[in-house]
Amino acid sequence: MKKTTLFIIALTTCVLSYSQQHVSKTPIDYVNPFIGTQRMGHTYPGATVPFGAVQLSPETDTIMMYDAQGKYNSNVYQYCAGYQYTDSTIVGFSHTHFSGTGHSDLGDLLIMPTYGTLQLNPGTSANPESGYRSTYYKTSEKAEPNYYRVSLKEKKIDVELTTTTRVGIHRYTFPKTDSAHIILDLNYGIYNYEGKNIWTYIRVVNDTLITGYRITNGWAKNRTVYFAIAFSKPFKNYGFQLPKEKYQGFWRRFDLIHHFPEASARELKAYFDFEFEDKEPLMIKVAISPVSQEGAILNMLTETPTWDFDHYKKAGQEEWNRELNKIKVETLTENDKVNFYTSLYHTFLGPTIYMDVDRKYKGLDQNIHSADTFTNYTSYSLWDTYRGLHPLFTIIQPTRVNDMILSMLAHYEQNIHGMLPVWSHYGNENWCMIGYHSVSVIADAYMKGIRGFDPVKAYWACVNTANKDEYDGIYYYKKLGFVPEDKSSNSASKTLEFAYDDWCIAQLGQAINDPEIKLNYPTFIKRSQNFENLFDPITKFIRPKNSAGQFITAFDPLNTHGQGFIEGNAWNYSLYVPHDVPQLVNLMGGEKRFEQYLDSLFTMELPDQYFENTEDVTRDGIIGNYVHGNEPSHQSAFLYHWTKAPWKSQERVRMILKKMYHTEPYGLSGNDDFGQMSAWYVFNAMGFYPVCPGSELYYFGSPSLVQAKLQLENGKTFTIKTVNQSEQNIYIQKVMLNGKELKVPYIKHSEITQGGELIFYMGKKPKK
Amino acid sequence: MKKTTLFIIALTTCVLSYSQQHVSKTPIDYVNPFIGTQRMGHTYPGATVPFGAVQLSPETDTIMMYDAQGKYNSNVYQYCAGYQYTDSTIVGFSHTHFSGTGHSDLGDLLIMPTYGTLQLNPGTSANPESGYRSTYYKTSEKAEPNYYRVSLKEKKIDVELTTTTRVGIHRYTFPKTDSAHIILDLNYGIYNYEGKNIWTYIRVVNDTLITGYRITNGWAKNRTVYFAIAFSKPFKNYGFQLPKEKYQGFWRRFDLIHHFPEASARELKAYFDFEFEDKEPLMIKVAISPVSQEGAILNMLTETPTWDFDHYKKAGQEEWNRELNKIKVETLTENDKVNFYTSLYHTFLGPTIYMDVDRKYKGLDQNIHSADTFTNYTSYSLWDTYRGLHPLFTIIQPTRVNDMILSMLAHYEQNIHGMLPVWSHYGNENWCMIGYHSVSVIADAYMKGIRGFDPVKAYWACVNTANKDEYDGIYYYKKLGFVPEDKSSNSASKTLEFAYDDWCIAQLGQAINDPEIKLNYPTFIKRSQNFENLFDPITKFIRPKNSAGQFITAFDPLNTHGQGFIEGNAWNYSLYVPHDVPQLVNLMGGEKRFEQYLDSLFTMELPDQYFENTEDVTRDGIIGNYVHGNEPSHQSAFLYHWTKAPWKSQERVRMILKKMYHTEPYGLSGNDDFGQMSAWYVFNAMGFYPVCPGSELYYFGSPSLVQAKLQLENGKTFTIKTVNQSEQNIYIQKVMLNGKELKVPYIKHSEITQGGELIFYMGKKPKK
């Protein structure tokens, strides 16, 4: 079975490659939403528009977070986006998904078309006929930006999905049947567990419209998704599956299961029955809202007034082409183009729009707010995305950057903790990972000239966030100059990241002309040097200390677990001083030793034992001991610029581009993390990367594209060209900016936004 | 112990009675909120303003609906209002209560002051020291309209409570202590059970303000109460009691229990710590909202801008005096005055205002609505209150009647079932009891000239409600002319009440000048005769039939249970044809036999077995087989007007007034049912009663007052006087209206609203 599938994939890929050479194509033709859907990528193949609030995608399994014995089930991890490419069954189509995250939530409003005997349980993949689940024809599966289709096998139903920003649109084509059912499973959820549903509610308004909501306590502790669902044809009959309730009051006099127009329960499923002629399509519109059922109806009426599935598909695809055309590229191979546009596609999957068409949304204070002057965004996977994704947005999405910062500031104001987002989604803070990297996003944007927000207000939001003593060791960090491991785990990672964030605050403060703010500069620039406090001069690694100021004794710099670091070992994390590499080089023993350290990183043999308990990176994501599948090393390859061998950066980058990004479903070497992995690709394919967001410098790697034309929002164009580009010519010989040779290994943000032309002259040998 | 308490009560009563004779008093001085708080009255003694949204009252126990084995605990019944007068402990003070209902919900936001070792569990009444519960000094307990006070015993804290419409105000006077705690128990609820709390949320905004909400699934399946709580002095410290959660995500890095500013869980308690000097008062304001935390804050800022407890108490008491002074009475005894004003007080405890100060509220569709043009009311115990309470409002609260009807019509529009309220509270329908008596309230108001609503719209709302086939046997009722017992239990009660309601619809329709509506008259007037279909000519009782049209065979007309009736037996219910007594008299065999039937009703000896399973009526509430403690017989005493012995009505009414209403805490003979029992008293003390709401006739009983002066909203005054009034002179000799002798046994509504003077001439002997 497995072999057949792989053969079919290979065949499909070949056919695609062949056809790509011979027709006129648009960017979306190069996007393959299946990339990242196998193994660790955690992307979803379903339909969505750029930054859309609805992500309508197939679910291939319903793993629960805890097994029947209450034990954490680590298999849940692969279903962060509800889908694994190699799974043989589909359990339904749900409307909300994170792209590429390493933990999850959502999966709201699972809908599944079926017929025959009504089954309200999903069944198992081993025995799909035991439920509403179905096998499907792998060859029938097709994924494009804003379009997904598949043909189910047990039940011969063709499924097509498309979306608008806030509405998912299903088109199901049935065989002739008098017993069709649409299942709406409000129990289903990604990272689901017994008790995650707080409450669900359905209201059957009439025979083509239902509304309701789902409240969950998951990664977000207080999340409500309201919905409105419209059918293109009236259902004949409907009913619910409700848990038996201890107390029903006078409702018990009714038949609450069959044809009763409202239901509310912790766990709730509904079915809607139809008759169909052969090939008769049923369309379903599912609008969501963070505010109310009324909000969902308004979203539906506004965005999808008609039943023209093809129109919505086309409109969304045109929107994708507009967005993707912001970077027009020429590549050495068609696969490079697929990798580039798929990466760019991934970068536009989040943060997502979080407000109704009337601009209302539910904030962190659980009150309804109105984003009158900006577009409100949610789902900030900031520990990942501050590194490359948000800097990428400063170039090609500056309006959205501004809106995202305004969204973060609104979050700050609504947040009882008085902090900017750490990892927030749907009006909730989930506190995932470490640091306070909102400050990086804000400082980076401000340093790059984005000015549609109040910098003074933003600055104090940053400072208050960084001074939140209760948060994650900050009290000790301020007191001792480092986070002590006995007080807060992953203390070394925290110390390093806090120090970088503090440098961002210092830079932001210096850039604002405000005397009170300037008084703070010494404090934060001093804090930014706190990495030095954990540098162990003996082992030459960053090494955690306890609160007595002693380095911890048991210390394995290759081990990712229990060593004071998170998602990285000391080997990798010791390089994380993006804002003061010269001082790091000093501490490490000078340029020569630093170069050797970097060489070792990329070339050492890492014993298998170090992978055993690492769920989110496989061997695929590692080169030597360099971990590309996790984020802390994303700037490491560029550090050769601070040695005598900058050409080694070119070599490493080109190797990473080649080894870590493929056009297969398993093509991503680790979680895409809401576009950070993909943003790394987009930048580096063009030849540069923001080693230290908050500075306006992009350091050169080695461009893999032939040419890239950036259409900027200010109307200017910035073109990147390569001369002598080839698979072998990976070394930069010379860089010309607007006809003048660049003598520095970076380009400034302002040089890009002014428009112009950057030419890389490539060669087979390093230019030493 | 018990004896001492009773002695103290007796003493207090004596002292009160003495003092009452010697000072100038206002109506509130005659209100004793303890009446009905012992045994079956189900009233609460706490503070509230007329029709106020907050009812801030002590809770004396925390009985759960189900015991540890999951069995229904019938003891819950006595705690419908959270309080039993004879209980020895107080567990706290909560903010929402129904007055006098026979089932319950609410009890939101329990607050308890305490000190010493922190205890977050309530403890038991047998061992109050095992929890935050406390015994109290019964002699210290005082209840006035909008004021309640008590001194706790274990913990020497003086408690005082008052309210505004949407805010409860607590004043606690502590002894010197450095370990005072205010407990906020969000688990507590009336008619509570494991799982009733869907979700609760607390947000500690600062050291004097907290906000949050509580969502419950109880009698109301989807009820959210938002709150804002302000303290007059900052707390030193705070913390939570949270259940252990299986999944905590990254929140686990925090100490979520101690001094963490937000908490959400199914079950949640909080504590706030203070230090106090001796006699230092702490005030707490608790505002509620059906809309949002913001709404609660706005309610608080608007209604209670200062910390002047005495001002709010006084303002609420003045409001009570304004309302109670709408009927100024002179009585034979002080106790009569207590009974009268306490009854009138009870009639103004509901329906309650259900909207924020900005007019917003959550509707049945779970959307937020704005009552722009009316005051929105909730908590309609309609099966009880359509009989006497709403008719009383047509005389002394016509503006509120109009608002209540507009509230009902809004309910109708928001209700997915397309029905007017049956028993609704807090944007929910709880479906309690039977019939569709909203139509009676609407028809009665319209017939009496209340016109601030669209009668055509109201009419069709009534018709659609009455034609809701899925509801409670209506399908069969329409098809067969009666509800068959094998299809819907309590079928005979339903048939009788539907028939009466249908008569109301017919009357309303005839009064509206609309040709389409008039076409419906024959249908509804025919339906109103459906009672005849269940009249058994052999037994001369109304008797349920099965769907084959046969009378059920096992039939005990004295038994209240399983005989086709609810809260009444066939003996009582067979008299329930208020709209066509003449035809009932015919069926029963003529006037003489009808009179005998009534005589038997009031004089027969009812064997004990008939009380065994009747939870809501005791021997106290029964005269012979006449049940005053339940509502179906509330019109029975007046039916002598259709015999040759109308003076017997006078006799019976005067007996009921005397036997069923007392000034003791156990003074009510059954559930007050949101004022219906009390409205009966108010009417009958004045000498008349609405035997058939929907007609404008009030039939005479026998007035017990000396004089009553009704101040009407139209500016007119209607005065009721008695001549020769005494305990013995219970028979009406003559009635003069505006100087002319009345030749009919009733007065019309319009005769009252025109203003004037009604004089009853009383005598010792019946005027035959």
Side-chain angles (χ1 to χ4, degrees), chain B residues 115-116 175-181 236 273-277:
Chain B
Y115 52 83
K176 182 173 170 62
T177 172
D178 60 0
S179 66
H181 318 289
K236 290 186 313 176
D273 296 340
F274 297 84
E275 278 180 31
F276 293 113
E277 294 305 313

mmCIF file of all heavy atoms in Angstrom, chain B residues 115-116 175-181 236 273-277:
data_model
loop_
_atom_site.group_PDB
_atom_site.id
_atom_site.type_symbol
_atom_site.label_atom_id
_atom_site.label_comp_id
_atom_site.label_asym_id
_atom_site.label_seq_id
_atom_site.Cartn_x
_atom_site.Cartn_y
_atom_site.Cartn_z
ATOM 1 N N TYR B 115 -12.399 35.434 58.918
ATOM 2 C CA TYR B 115 -10.999 35.724 59.265
ATOM 3 C C TYR B 115 -10.386 34.513 59.954
ATOM 4 O O TYR B 115 -11.075 33.517 60.205
ATOM 5 C CB TYR B 115 -10.856 36.986 60.121
ATOM 6 C CG TYR B 115 -11.719 37.039 61.353
ATOM 7 C CD1 TYR B 115 -11.344 36.419 62.546
ATOM 8 C CD2 TYR B 115 -12.924 37.734 61.319
ATOM 9 C CE1 TYR B 115 -12.159 36.480 63.667
ATOM 10 C CE2 TYR B 115 -13.749 37.792 62.440
ATOM 11 C CZ TYR B 115 -13.360 37.165 63.612
ATOM 12 O OH TYR B 115 -14.165 37.225 64.724
ATOM 13 N N GLY B 116 -9.131 34.582 60.217
ATOM 14 C CA GLY B 116 -8.429 33.430 60.788
ATOM 15 C C GLY B 116 -7.902 32.543 59.676
ATOM 16 O O GLY B 116 -7.634 33.011 58.568
ATOM 17 N N PRO B 175 -13.983 42.899 63.536
ATOM 18 C CA PRO B 175 -13.163 43.183 64.716
ATOM 19 C C PRO B 175 -11.720 43.369 64.246
ATOM 20 O O PRO B 175 -11.403 43.113 63.088
ATOM 21 C CB PRO B 175 -13.289 41.901 65.546
ATOM 22 C CG PRO B 175 -13.547 40.824 64.551
ATOM 23 C CD PRO B 175 -14.284 41.470 63.409
ATOM 24 N N LYS B 176 -10.842 43.800 65.134
ATOM 25 C CA LYS B 176 -9.434 43.951 64.741
ATOM 26 C C LYS B 176 -8.876 42.592 64.324
ATOM 27 O O LYS B 176 -9.006 41.598 65.030
ATOM 28 C CB LYS B 176 -8.619 44.500 65.927
ATOM 29 C CG LYS B 176 -7.154 44.744 65.590
ATOM 30 C CD LYS B 176 -6.438 45.446 66.739
ATOM 31 C CE LYS B 176 -4.932 45.478 66.528
ATOM 32 N NZ LYS B 176 -4.522 46.220 65.323
ATOM 33 N N THR B 177 -8.297 42.560 63.124
ATOM 34 C CA THR B 177 -7.727 41.307 62.643
ATOM 35 C C THR B 177 -6.700 41.586 61.558
ATOM 36 O O THR B 177 -6.848 42.531 60.790
ATOM 37 C CB THR B 177 -8.818 40.360 62.082
ATOM 38 O OG1 THR B 177 -8.169 39.239 61.473
ATOM 39 C CG2 THR B 177 -9.688 41.036 61.022
ATOM 40 N N ASP B 178 -5.660 40.777 61.522
ATOM 41 C CA ASP B 178 -4.711 40.893 60.413
ATOM 42 C C ASP B 178 -4.888 39.737 59.428
ATOM 43 O O ASP B 178 -4.046 39.516 58.578
ATOM 44 C CB ASP B 178 -3.265 40.956 60.925
ATOM 45 C CG ASP B 178 -2.898 39.713 61.723
ATOM 46 O OD1 ASP B 178 -3.767 38.820 61.879
ATOM 47 O OD2 ASP B 178 -1.756 39.641 62.194
ATOM 48 N N SER B 179 -6.000 38.991 59.586
ATOM 49 C CA SER B 179 -6.188 37.836 58.702
ATOM 50 C C SER B 179 -7.618 37.738 58.199
ATOM 51 O O SER B 179 -8.228 36.686 58.223
ATOM 52 C CB SER B 179 -5.826 36.554 59.448
ATOM 53 O OG SER B 179 -6.759 36.358 60.514
ATOM 54 N N ALA B 180 -8.141 38.876 57.773
ATOM 55 C CA ALA B 180 -9.502 38.848 57.223
ATOM 56 C C ALA B 180 -9.473 38.342 55.793
ATOM 57 O O ALA B 180 -8.516 38.593 55.047
ATOM 58 C CB ALA B 180 -10.108 40.249 57.274
ATOM 59 N N HIS B 181 -10.522 37.610 55.432
ATOM 60 C CA HIS B 181 -10.645 37.113 54.062
ATOM 61 C C HIS B 181 -12.054 37.403 53.544
ATOM 62 O O HIS B 181 -13.023 37.218 54.273
ATOM 63 C CB HIS B 181 -10.457 35.594 53.986
ATOM 64 C CG HIS B 181 -9.349 35.064 54.823
ATOM 65 N ND1 HIS B 181 -8.029 35.274 54.509
ATOM 66 C CD2 HIS B 181 -9.361 34.321 55.973
ATOM 67 C CE1 HIS B 181 -7.265 34.674 55.432
ATOM 68 N NE2 HIS B 181 -8.057 34.104 56.329
ATOM 69 N N LYS B 236 -4.728 43.129 50.458
ATOM 70 C CA LYS B 236 -3.281 42.944 50.609
ATOM 71 C C LYS B 236 -2.778 41.826 49.729
ATOM 72 O O LYS B 236 -1.632 41.806 49.291
ATOM 73 C CB LYS B 236 -2.967 42.501 52.061
ATOM 74 C CG LYS B 236 -3.147 43.498 53.123
ATOM 75 C CD LYS B 236 -2.643 42.920 54.460
ATOM 76 C CE LYS B 236 -3.166 41.486 54.729
ATOM 77 N NZ LYS B 236 -2.622 40.866 55.944
ATOM 78 N N ASP B 273 -7.498 39.071 50.849
ATOM 79 C CA ASP B 273 -7.080 39.227 52.244
ATOM 80 C C ASP B 273 -6.940 40.703 52.641
ATOM 81 O O ASP B 273 -6.449 41.523 51.863
ATOM 82 C CB ASP B 273 -5.735 38.543 52.466
ATOM 83 C CG ASP B 273 -5.821 37.038 52.240
ATOM 84 O OD1 ASP B 273 -6.944 36.495 52.296
ATOM 85 O OD2 ASP B 273 -4.764 36.423 51.991
ATOM 86 N N PHE B 274 -7.349 40.962 53.866
ATOM 87 C CA PHE B 274 -7.317 42.325 54.403
ATOM 88 C C PHE B 274 -6.837 42.313 55.845
ATOM 89 O O PHE B 274 -6.896 41.291 56.519
ATOM 90 C CB PHE B 274 -8.730 42.935 54.397
ATOM 91 C CG PHE B 274 -9.344 43.101 53.044
ATOM 92 C CD1 PHE B 274 -10.001 42.043 52.426
ATOM 93 C CD2 PHE B 274 -9.279 44.323 52.388
ATOM 94 C CE1 PHE B 274 -10.583 42.207 51.178
ATOM 95 C CE2 PHE B 274 -9.856 44.490 51.132
ATOM 96 C CZ PHE B 274 -10.508 43.424 50.532
ATOM 97 N N GLU B 275 -6.408 43.488 56.297
ATOM 98 C CA GLU B 275 -6.212 43.746 57.735
ATOM 99 C C GLU B 275 -7.220 44.803 58.158
ATOM 100 O O GLU B 275 -7.480 45.735 57.395
ATOM 101 C CB GLU B 275 -4.819 44.343 57.979
ATOM 102 C CG GLU B 275 -3.719 43.327 58.045
ATOM 103 C CD GLU B 275 -2.366 43.994 58.302
ATOM 104 O OE1 GLU B 275 -2.313 45.045 58.968
ATOM 105 O OE2 GLU B 275 -1.378 43.468 57.776
ATOM 106 N N PHE B 276 -7.752 44.660 59.360
ATOM 107 C CA PHE B 276 -8.708 45.656 59.825
ATOM 108 C C PHE B 276 -8.429 46.070 61.267
ATOM 109 O O PHE B 276 -8.033 45.242 62.089
ATOM 110 C CB PHE B 276 -10.141 45.108 59.753
ATOM 111 C CG PHE B 276 -10.622 44.883 58.347
ATOM 112 C CD1 PHE B 276 -10.859 43.593 57.886
ATOM 113 C CD2 PHE B 276 -10.809 45.950 57.483
ATOM 114 C CE1 PHE B 276 -11.299 43.379 56.592
ATOM 115 C CE2 PHE B 276 -11.246 45.733 56.184
ATOM 116 C CZ PHE B 276 -11.488 44.448 55.735
ATOM 117 N N GLU B 277 -8.668 47.333 61.526
ATOM 118 C CA GLU B 277 -8.755 47.800 62.912
ATOM 119 C C GLU B 277 -10.129 47.416 63.440
ATOM 120 O O GLU B 277 -11.032 47.098 62.666
ATOM 121 C CB GLU B 277 -8.591 49.335 62.959
ATOM 122 C CG GLU B 277 -7.213 49.817 62.548
ATOM 123 C CD GLU B 277 -6.108 49.170 63.365
ATOM 124 O OE1 GLU B 277 -6.230 49.116 64.601
ATOM 125 O OE2 GLU B 277 -5.129 48.692 62.753
#
